[in-house]
Amino acid sequence: MADTTNATTPTPAEVTTATPATRVDRPAGVNAAAGTTQTTNGGSTTIADHVVAKVAGIAAREVRGVYALGGGGARAFGAIRDAVNATDLTQGVRVEVGQTQAAADITLVVEYPMPIHSVAAEVRSTVAGAITRLTGLEVVEVNIEVNDIHVPGEDNDDDDTEARVA
């Protein structure tokens, strides 16, 4: 019985491996968590990625209309950390740091009735300015994800309100 299938194996030239694209000027093979090192005549300064993330988190929280940073699960754990006085300032923030550039992704909750697009634009501007001012890195992008909106009074259990059912 003859084999009638036309199965072919791709040649190495036809197979491409996807390498994740970097948004910043980090050389290939450099550990992303290592941070960035700036060298001058007087020595070198290394700025760790989590430092840049903390700068971004602090700056984002300063913007009027930002209720919280992070997704639902992160905010739940954040409430526990806050209760024991161990606030995570990088919650809801992810950064990518290269040699001279940085990019940030911020997940946040907007306070109702603030215009979401205005809050996002202000967060983007404030975070980029803070990173550049405090680290000297060029910010190539700040992506904002608004994953919820906080309605004042929505999460309060007021005993003063009248019960709907007797």
Side-chain angles (χ1 to χ4, degrees):
M1 180 167 219
D3 184 12
T4 59
T5 60
N6 291 331
T8 60
T9 304
T11 65
E14 296 171 337
V15 177
T16 59
T17 56
T19 56
T22 181
R23 301 181 290 176
V24 296
D25 60 349
R26 180 183 304 128
V30 173
N31 181 3
T36 183
T37 301
Q38 299 170 347
T39 305
T40 63
N41 291 340
S44 65
T45 302
T46 301
I47 303 171
D49 287 9
H50 72 272
V51 172
V52 178
K54 193 174 279 192
V55 168
I58 292 169
R61 284 175 173 81
E62 293 175 349
V63 174
R64 184 172 174 263
V66 173
Y67 178 73
L69 295 182
R75 289 195 320 267
F77 283 119
I80 295 168
R81 281 191 301 269
D82 289 345
V84 296
N85 207 16
T87 303
D88 179 12
L89 296 175
T90 63
Q91 174 182 304
V93 179
R94 192 178 71 75
V95 297
E96 190 174 332
V97 180
Q99 291 179 328
T100 62
Q101 298 176 328
D105 298 317
I106 314 284
T107 302
L108 55 87
V109 178
V110 173
E111 186 80 43
Y112 182 84
M114 296 295 294
I116 295 171
H117 64 283
S118 297
V119 173
E122 183 65 24
V123 168
R124 187 173 288 112
S125 172
T126 302
V127 167
I131 291 172
T132 299
R133 187 176 64 256
L134 295 175
T135 67
L137 296 170
E138 173 194 4
V139 178
V140 293
E141 67 182 14
V142 177
N143 297 312
I144 308 293
E145 177 188 345
V146 178
N147 73 347
D148 200 0
I149 188 162
H150 177 259
V151 179
E154 181 179 77
D155 54 358
N156 295 341
D157 292 332
D158 293 333
D159 292 333
D160 298 337
T161 58
E162 187 176 313
R164 293 176 53 184
V165 179

